[in-house]
Amino acid sequence: MLRYRILINPTARNGADGRWVGIVRAAFARTDHEVVIPGSFEAMCRAARDARDSGVDVVVVVGGDGTLNAVANQIVGGSVALAVVPAGTANDLARQLGMPLTPLEACQAILAGERRAIDVGMVNGQCFLTGGGTGIVSDVAIGVHALKSGKGLAAVVTRALGSLAYTLYSAWLIATAPRVAHMLTFRCGKEDAVTGLLLAMFIHNQASIGRSVCACPGTRPDDGTLGWCRLTWQGRFRGLWSAAAMNRSGAHVGHPGVTAGEACSLELSADESVEFMADGELLAQASRLVIEVRPGALWVVAPPQRPGTGRLTEATSRCA
């Protein structure tokens, strides 16, 4: 019988909902399981490490992409599998895996699911699962997080908008912020470095994040590479145009100033410290960012069938 450790993040969008906790407990009632509700980020990480070291087969996370990131950084490279009952805002990994978004159906999918190996991205030693980047990518994530964490009407509206808040905030930022472009040097693998004024640099382990932002079309979490998309500064109007096209299944690729590709390793550097956001979290802040893929480094539990998206394949390395 498989051993499950269920980690419930009480600060996730739906993690504090007592009905969700009851549903999850009931769904796993006939299994060998334990439920842990950590009181802090550090306690969440300790519970994940202990699961890795004590022979737990599956760590089930009731939370969003940020919680999954914290747990994945503790178990990556090991034999324990990661499963998700999506309770966050965007739930990007859950959507990629084809997980149902309601708690009972998600639990049933986990109990009937299959183990699959997926790639993970690494930035300055920290792993990420879905995608993110720097430039306006990190500016938007930081800004929306600040709004959601605040008080008053702005916080209520931002939380109610969900993932749409990121799209609206990015448009507002491009249109009005005094500074939205950053001078960055970009190197892809062993190619020559390119320096330019960038609006955004996306680096993804899947095609879409935030439900609709398809920055890296065709990118998969099991192909042994990371997708990247670079938006060179072409002015505010073209920036808004590219951002809008990105919400139409990758129609931005081919626009002036937009380049995209796949890579096993990338390096970003600047004269000043820049932030790298991924999985909704600030993972690195430095003047030099080293990003690489670890093919098949994390086991996940996915439904046996994923209508419309195709099943995950066994991870293969294209970076040998």
Side-chain angles (χ1 to χ4, degrees):
M1 179 180 289
L2 294 177
R3 290 180 59 199
Y4 296 88
R5 174 166 292 182
I6 303 168
L7 303 180
I8 300 176
N9 180 5
T11 65
R13 192 178 190 188
N14 296 303
D17 190 328
R19 293 170 298 177
W20 281 54
V21 176
I23 290 170
V24 172
R25 288 182 185 273
F28 284 87
R30 297 179 180 274
T31 69
D32 180 0
H33 77 281
E34 59 178 328
V35 176
V36 180
I37 305 179
S40 66
F41 175 84
E42 292 75 15
M44 179 74 71
C45 293
R46 285 197 302 271
R49 286 195 301 271
D50 180 69
R52 177 198 65 194
D53 298 337
S54 60
V56 170
D57 297 293
V58 182
V59 175
V60 180
V61 172
V62 182
D65 293 306
T67 311
L68 288 166
N69 179 278
V71 172
N73 269 285
Q74 311 307 314
I75 67 173
V76 65
S79 61
V80 60
L82 180 66
V84 55
V85 177
T89 300
N91 300 309
D92 289 326
L93 182 64
R95 292 175 188 276
Q96 174 64 41
L97 297 178
M99 293 297 298
L101 299 182
T102 58
L104 178 58
E105 291 179 335
C107 291
Q108 293 170 340
I110 291 168
L111 292 170
E114 301 174 345
R115 285 170 61 99
R116 297 284 174 176
I118 66 170
D119 311 330
V120 300
M122 303 293 297
V123 54
N124 289 10
Q126 294 293 307
C127 87
F128 62 94
L129 306 178
T130 59
T134 190
I136 198 172
V137 184
S138 56
D139 294 341
V140 168
I142 292 170
V144 172
H145 178 74
L147 287 173
K148 289 195 300 183
S149 302
K151 297 179 180 180
L153 181 60
V156 173
V157 171
T158 303
R159 288 193 288 267
L161 287 171
S163 61
L164 180 60
Y166 294 92
T167 301
L168 296 176
Y169 191 88
S170 64
W172 175 81
L173 204 62
I174 294 170
T176 66
R179 182 191 180 195
V180 289
H182 303 262
M183 187 65 69
L184 290 174
T185 297
F186 167 74
R187 184 189 301 274
C188 180
K190 297 181 180 179
E191 296 179 5
D192 292 337
V194 176
T195 300
L197 194 60
L198 300 187
L199 173 64
M201 183 74 202
F202 292 88
I203 299 175
H204 282 205
N205 196 32
Q206 59 186 54
S208 299
I209 60 173
R211 300 189 187 183
S212 62
V213 180
C214 187
C216 302
T219 298
R220 294 179 57 86
D222 53 3
D223 63 0
T225 64
L226 297 173
W228 60 268
C229 179
R230 186 175 70 228
L231 273 63
T232 303
W233 178 244
Q234 300 283 315
R236 295 184 188 273
F237 177 76
R238 287 196 182 276
L240 287 167
W241 183 28
S242 296
M246 198 175 291
N247 285 273
R248 300 200 309 272
S249 301
H252 61 293
V253 176
H255 280 198
V258 179
T259 53
E262 298 177 339
C264 301
S265 63
L266 307 102
E267 183 178 322
L268 300 173
S269 58
D271 292 335
E272 58 186 351
S273 182
V274 294
E275 296 91 359
F276 187 94
M277 299 284 297
D279 298 342
E281 300 294 319
L282 177 60
L283 299 186
Q285 187 170 12
S287 60
R288 181 171 178 261
L289 302 172
V290 178
I291 303 144
E292 58 186 356
V293 66
R294 288 182 61 182
L298 181 69
W299 290 102
V300 296
V301 176
Q305 296 180 343
R306 305 192 305 125
T309 58
R311 290 171 56 170
L312 290 174
T313 59
E314 294 184 3
T316 57
S317 175
R318 294 163 59 184
C319 301

